Amino acid sequence: MDAGIRRAGDRGYVTVESAIGLGGLTIVLACLFAGIGALSGQLRCTDAAREAARLLARGQPHEAEAAVHTIAPGGARLAVRRSGDGITVEVGAEALGGLLPGVHLSATAYAVAEPGTEAAHAGR
């Protein structure tokens, strides 16, 4: 065959290959962005738990709740457990506001109540 002659059955292959390639690239980018969003949410839960534990140890429960609602992803839940002078805080949320089913974010922080605060006497 001559190099300048095209076969009739080969028309449109580049278009199909490009469409499949772009679809695959879109899926990979969506997974990448979902992972980054979930990681960001996990870090926000960790920061919120740490801040809430610190504020509770200082005897500021209202500020701790406000900090969780400000720092953590939307819809985050705060759970507090006291054991003697120890305060354990758990912050949980859904990844990307529930857009990733089955992915639950959770972070735990621990603090010891400061002496002379209301938090130090609440555990006794």
Side-chain angles (χ1 to χ4, degrees):
M1 264 193 176
D2 189 273
I5 300 175
R6 292 187 181 178
R7 293 187 340 199
D10 288 345
R11 300 181 99 186
Y13 276 108
V14 173
T15 304
V16 172
E17 290 169 355
S18 297
I20 292 171
L22 287 175
L25 180 63
T26 302
I27 290 171
V28 168
L29 286 176
C31 290
L32 177 68
F33 290 138
I36 290 172
L39 178 63
S40 172
Q42 180 63 41
L43 292 174
R44 290 177 63 191
C45 283
T46 302
D47 289 343
R50 178 188 47 83
E51 186 67 18
R54 186 183 68 80
L55 288 168
L56 286 168
R58 291 175 48 188
Q60 300 173 328
H62 299 296
E63 288 83 355
E65 289 180 27
V68 168
H69 292 298
T70 301
I71 298 170
R77 300 168 305 279
L78 172 66
V80 179
R81 291 185 305 275
R82 297 179 187 270
S83 174
D85 286 344
I87 300 169
T88 303
V89 174
E90 183 176 355
V91 175
E94 299 298 321
L96 297 176
L99 291 177
L100 292 176
V103 179
H104 307 285
L105 308 176
S106 178
T108 304
Y110 179 82
V112 176
E114 294 181 6
T117 63
E118 196 172 300
H121 301 296
R124 293 183 181 156

